[in-house]
Amino acid sequence: MGWIWNRFRCLSAFALIAVCLPAQASYVELIDGTFRFEAWNGEAKPPVFAGNASTPMLGTYSADGRTLFFHPRFPVAPGMRYQGTFQGALFAIEVPQERAAPTHVEHVYPSADVLPANTLKLYICFSAPMSFGDGSKHFRLLDEGGNPLPDAFLDQELWDGEHRRLTVLLDPGRIKRGLAPNREAGSPIVEGRHYTLSIDRDWRDARGMPMAEGFRKDFTGGPADRIPPGPTTWRLELPKAGTRDALVVGFPEPMDYALLQSLVTVSGLAGETAIASNETQWRFTPALPWRAGDYLLLADPTLEDIAGNRLNRAFDVDLRHVDLRAEDPGKKSASRPFTIPPA
């Protein structure tokens, strides 16, 4: 029994690998997940086996003249060898392994180079899903001399649903004035000092592979921010009626990147949002052109700036000067009406 040298060609992910022997009219090739048997004699339909399986793959056959096609029920797998016998000769096709790009850090938020001394959280965004369980071992906050600062972050992993965005909380006990950790160790970030968030290359992604490279974000500590953000200070750039131009909302300070994507809306309208200008700008592009008329910009009361201050309520509150019997202003949603004039 002889061998048929096979062609392997996949128009999307893989490359042309081999051709048939010069004297051999029959050959087998794999194109976009379908096996193609050339110079078929119209008789037996050759089974295809995956790896060392003793039972053939499930699928269906179709023919076009002397070309027979086998359509597997399930997609072919990278790294798998497929084999069988076609008209008395053995054939084998090995699908190359996928060469996915190594995972890397896409961005760290907040984006600004100067962060308030009472910054509450950071977001590390990756290009692909990451592993879970030992993330805190792979990043650290360094001081001006490159020395790791102990106990700057809480030791917990807060991932989004895709495991591509990690929320890193600076220790709130060291940020809130009057608490024991704040009195003993002070805030992790001090105004006027320089810091580096250092992320290791050997942090493994969900495939168990190390990242393409490490990552560093340098920043300087700025004045603490204990003023709640308020919609009355937001600047609106209005689009023109009849267009799908973006409504642009500008903030006087950076806002929480993740919360800003979901907690600000235009009442009753569907569309896409984008964050820009170091999280000081929110852009809304409607699904349909704007109509002239009145609209309402809505902000959920849990929206925060990067220091954890919510709408109408600061993160760090001196309870000695708060009337606990009064309604909590931080529970009230905020709105900002605006009008688009006729074109």
Side-chain angles (χ1 to χ4, degrees), residues 26 37-46 63 65-68 86-87:
S26 300
F37 301 87
E38 287 292 348
W40 179 49
N41 60 17
E43 297 178 358
K45 297 176 180 178
R66 297 194 64 195
T67 301
L68 179 69
F86 177 43
Q87 297 178 170

Side-chain angles (χ1 to χ4, degrees), residues 11 42-44 68 80 88 104 116 163 166 183 194 214 225 230 245 249 254 337:
L11 301 181
E43 297 178 358
L68 179 69
M80 180 63 70
H104 63 276
H163 267 234
L166 178 66
R183 293 195 304 268
H194 302 286
D225 176 13
D245 293 344
V249 181

Side-chain angles (χ1 to χ4, degrees), residues 5 7 15 60 67 78 118 120 131 147 175 178 224 230 256 261 314-315 322 327:
W5 288 79
R7 292 176 181 172
T60 59
T67 301
N118 58 341
L120 181 61
S131 59
N147 304 303
I175 294 174
D256 184 290
Q261 296 182 76
F315 174 73
V322 174
E327 181 181 1

Side-chain angles (χ1 to χ4, degrees), residues 29-263:
E29 60 183 351
L30 176 60
I31 302 177
D32 287 340
T34 296
F35 292 86
R36 175 171 173 164
F37 301 87
E38 287 292 348
W40 179 49
N41 60 17
E43 297 178 358
K45 297 176 180 178
V48 179
F49 298 85
N52 296 320
S54 58
T55 57
M57 298 174 65
L58 299 176
T60 59
Y61 292 88
S62 63
D64 182 7
R66 297 194 64 195
T67 301
L68 179 69
F69 300 93
F70 174 64
H71 312 276
R73 177 178 297 182
F74 304 104
V76 296
M80 180 63 70
R81 179 184 176 91
Y82 297 90
Q83 53 199 3
T85 303
F86 177 43
Q87 297 178 170
L90 300 174
F91 70 87
I93 296 175
E94 186 168 341
V95 181
Q97 289 279 3
E98 291 184 3
R99 296 185 179 274
T103 302
H104 63 276
V105 175
E106 290 186 323
H107 205 90
V108 170
Y109 298 95
S111 304
D113 296 329
V114 178
L115 304 183
N118 58 341
T119 296
L120 181 61
K121 68 183 80 165
L122 307 174
Y123 295 106
I124 305 176
C125 298
F126 299 88
S127 62
M130 295 293 291
S131 59
F132 176 81
D134 65 347
S136 61
K137 299 178 181 178
H138 298 291
F139 62 88
R140 60 199 57 83
L141 189 63
L142 308 179
D143 64 14
E144 296 173 297
N147 304 303
L149 295 174
D151 304 321
F153 303 115
L154 293 185
D155 186 10
Q156 58 182 344
E157 292 191 39
L158 302 173
W159 291 96
D160 69 343
E162 296 181 348
H163 267 234
R164 291 183 55 189
R165 187 186 70 218
L166 178 66
T167 302
V168 180
L169 288 174
L170 286 96
D171 186 351
R174 293 182 58 182
I175 294 174
K176 281 199 171 186
R177 295 167 297 176
L179 297 183
N182 175 266
R183 293 195 304 268
E184 296 169 1
S187 177
I189 300 173
V190 177
E191 181 179 356
R193 295 185 182 176
H194 302 286
Y195 300 90
T196 298
L197 176 69
S198 176
I199 302 173
D200 296 337
R201 177 186 180 275
D202 61 1
W203 196 344
R204 303 279 168 165
D205 63 17
R207 300 168 299 175
M209 302 298 294
M211 294 198 300
E213 58 186 357
F215 188 91
R216 294 169 66 90
K217 174 182 171 60
D218 299 319
F219 65 93
T220 301
D225 176 13
R226 296 187 174 91
I227 300 176
T232 57
T233 64
W234 299 352
R235 305 177 309 276
L236 273 61
E237 298 178 21
L238 301 181
K240 294 181 179 180
T243 72
R244 293 185 62 243
D245 293 344
L247 167 70
V248 180
V249 181
F251 311 104
E253 60 176 334
M255 301 296 287
D256 184 290
Y257 168 76
L259 299 180
L260 195 56
Q261 296 182 76
S262 59
L263 298 185

